[in-house]
Amino acid sequence: MPTDLAHYGSCTLNDTCPSCGEGAVPVRVLRCVGEVAEVEDQAGNRAEVALDFVSGVSVGDVLLVQSGVALGRAEA
Amino acid sequence: MKFVDEFRNPELIRQAVAEIAALAPSETVRIMEVCGGHTHSIHRFGLRQFLPDTVELIHGPGCPVCVLPMSRIDDGLSLTERPEVIMTAFGDMMRVPGHGGSLLERKARGADVRMVYSPLDALKIARDNPDREVVFFGIGFETTTPSSALTVMRAKAEGIGNFSLFCNHIVLPPALKSVLDAPDLRIDAFIGPGHVSTVIGARPYDFIAREYARPVVISGFEPLDMLQTIALLLKQLREGKAEVVNNYARVVPEEGNPAAIKAMDKVFELRDTFEWRGMGFIPHSALKMRPEWAEWDAEIKFAIRPVTVETHEAHAQARCGEVVRGAAKPTDCPLYGTVCTPEHPVGALMVSSEGACAAYHQYRRE
């Protein structure tokens, strides 16, 4: 059973305060292509995010994204 | 713990509440939740009801659109009057009123203003419109600054000269120093920001413990996170300790995100000073673009004056300034919930979903 995204915050890709320092959206990685990942949030919304600041990302990882860029990875 | 049920488990919540009750201070302590996300959680989950009367929670200056002075918004609005400009901004920034209306109102009147989810989307607009000047209204703390830095670096790498950043990025630690130095704000302890700390790590708060002898506990957003954090703070206060504790280690590395920090440092440098709504000018509290990035700096490209002065609030009775720095609660403002509502905001704190006034309004209990 996968880690629950909701305990990294309730924000989704469609419902977040993008400029707020606390608006990072927890998402799960569906696919990686180069430095871009396709991700899905807890509501099923999907988006592409840049991986420039997080290395070694794999499918299934939980990332925190802010304004289209991954900023961190949750512990496994 | 891996599942949200565990973070909302009634038994674990009861244990945390009991711990807080056992640590209840005899005299009032004031704990500041620095970030709007925490304010939102406190009200959303009704956490106040679990706290002793002697624990007072004070919201902090952690909403970037709320602390941006109106004159700075006016500077952004002025750019929309240029026919060559496509102004881009995050959705919440679109609704924040300056003296001359909001970006959304400018859009309604025909200006080319577009909402974007990421500055990288603004760069795409620039790529697709080579005969126009695309400006991104950059705002936010250390969580949004990396995306602005990345966008400018990509603009340079791709040779896109018709994109520029109107930089209003701010940094959090100097604002906390300003709070600690304010003579009318006695804050005993801090709930440290969660996701800002993902980027900057835990060490930038050391000065709060070392120089001001106040404890800081970095927290997540679940009810159990928040209650455990408050218990940890009360325990430190009772024992006379002042330490920085990372209670959100499942997300926040001690050293933050070195790659994001490096990118920010490459593109930005500290301004000598910057004005915060309600807090005045705070030294070294905001970022500007380094001279080598001038080609993508909207302040240089459009000769915007670098620092502006707040002249007056939108409404003489509004108490946004006091609310934003925790000196007054939203409910102390005569406009709160009457003429100032999320549908018709007078002040910025009612615009953003994580502004203090919006959080109070959304979850208010009659």
Side-chain angles (χ1 to χ4, degrees):
Chain A
M1 189 171 174
T3 301
D4 197 321
L5 293 178
H7 85 270
Y8 300 100
S10 59
C11 293
T12 64
L13 293 163
N14 289 349
D15 178 22
T16 181
C17 170
S19 62
C20 179
E22 296 301 334
V25 180
V27 297
R28 188 176 310 284
V29 176
L30 301 175
R31 201 160 59 99
C32 295
V33 181
E35 293 215 316
V36 176
E38 186 185 0
V39 299
E40 185 175 77
D41 68 16
Q42 55 199 287
N45 303 306
R46 294 186 179 188
E48 288 189 347
V49 300
L51 299 178
D52 297 60
F53 300 141
V54 182
S55 58
V57 173
S58 306
V59 171
D61 284 356
V62 173
L63 302 177
L64 288 166
V65 304
Q66 177 87 25
S67 51
V69 177
L71 291 179
R73 177 175 28 217
E75 67 179 19
Chain B
M1 286 186 285
K2 286 184 178 298
F3 307 110
V4 70
D5 286 355
E6 297 173 75
F7 284 85
R8 299 180 188 177
N9 178 306
E11 185 50 39
L12 294 175
I13 297 278
R14 270 193 285 272
Q15 284 175 19
V17 170
E19 192 175 356
I20 288 171
L23 291 164
S26 54
E27 292 184 16
T28 299
V29 299
R30 289 161 59 86
I31 298 175
M32 174 170 275
E33 80 270 8
V34 172
C35 281
H38 288 144
T39 304
H40 198 76
S41 288
I42 288 162
H43 290 273
R44 179 179 176 209
F45 297 116
L47 300 184
R48 288 210 58 88
Q49 64 187 301
F50 299 119
L51 303 181
D53 291 342
T54 48
V55 174
E56 192 175 352
L57 295 177
I58 312 291
H59 58 269
C63 167
V65 300
C66 302
V67 298
L68 189 66
M70 289 178 75
S71 49
R72 200 71 187 165
I73 299 165
D74 292 341
D75 292 339
L77 292 174
S78 71
L79 291 177
T80 67
E81 292 163 10
R82 292 173 170 265
E84 76 275 24
V85 165
I86 299 174
M87 174 60 83
T88 59
F90 292 139
D92 54 347
M93 194 60 238
M94 302 273 286
R95 297 178 59 219
V96 180
H99 296 117
S102 66
L103 287 171
L104 201 58
E105 288 168 15
R106 293 296 173 104
K107 181 179 176 67
R109 280 190 250 151
D112 197 341
V113 180
R114 305 184 192 183
M115 186 179 82
V116 292
Y117 167 67
S118 164
L120 292 168
D121 297 337
L123 188 63
K124 181 175 187 305
I125 294 171
R127 208 180 282 125
D128 295 342
N129 295 270
D131 56 335
R132 304 284 299 279
E133 281 290 338
V134 176
V135 180
F136 177 67
F137 199 123
I139 186 167
F141 287 105
E142 290 89 339
T143 46
T144 53
T145 310
S147 62
S148 286
L150 178 63
T151 303
V152 171
M153 288 160 65
R154 284 197 182 172
K156 183 176 185 179
E158 295 180 33
I160 300 175
N162 67 321
F163 170 84
S164 58
L165 173 69
F166 180 40
C167 181
N168 296 282
H169 288 293
I170 46 182
V171 289
L172 193 56
L176 299 182
K177 185 174 188 317
S178 176
V179 164
L180 285 159
D181 288 337
D184 59 340
L185 282 178
R186 185 184 57 81
I187 303 298
D188 299 300
F190 290 89
I191 298 174
H195 296 146
V196 164
S197 306
T198 305
V199 176
I200 66 174
R203 297 285 66 85
Y205 311 113
D206 282 348
F207 78 96
I208 298 174
R210 196 177 55 241
E211 296 174 26
Y212 292 89
R214 302 286 199 278
V216 180
V217 177
I218 297 166
S219 180
F221 302 89
E222 285 296 316
L224 191 57
D225 286 321
M226 302 286 298
L227 292 170
Q228 286 177 337
T229 292
I230 291 167
L232 288 168
L233 287 170
L234 293 178
K235 190 161 185 287
Q236 284 202 50
L237 289 171
R238 171 167 287 197
E239 295 172 356
K241 289 183 178 171
E243 295 171 354
V244 178
V245 173
N246 183 1
N247 190 34
Y248 198 29
R250 65 185 188 273
V251 168
V252 176
E254 286 294 303
E255 74 283 6
N257 183 325
I261 292 170
K262 187 176 172 189
M264 289 193 288
D265 189 49
K266 187 172 184 179
V267 175
F268 301 107
E269 61 185 354
L270 287 172
R271 293 180 193 269
D272 291 337
T273 188
F274 195 74
E275 188 185 10
W276 292 53
R277 184 186 295 226
M279 301 175 77
F281 284 86
I282 303 177
H284 306 130
S285 64
L287 300 171
K288 63 180 179 181
M289 296 173 75
R290 292 184 182 276
E292 54 266 40
W293 300 91
E295 190 179 336
W296 295 275
D297 186 346
E299 276 183 32
I300 304 290
K301 185 178 268 190
F302 301 105
I304 299 171
R305 58 194 191 280
V307 175
T308 54
V309 179
E310 183 78 326
T311 50
H312 56 84
E313 287 291 350
H315 195 296
Q317 288 179 289
R319 298 183 66 184
C320 308
E322 293 161 82
V323 174
V324 81
R325 64 195 187 90
K329 296 203 163 151
T331 45
D332 296 332
C333 176
L335 307 190
Y336 167 83
T338 54
V339 297
C340 185
T341 64
E343 291 75 31
H344 300 285
V346 174
L349 291 88
M350 194 59 99
V351 174
S352 164
S353 62
E354 296 186 3
C357 294
Y360 270 67
H361 195 272
Q362 184 172 354
Y363 299 111
R364 69 182 169 183
R365 290 167 170 77
E366 302 299 344

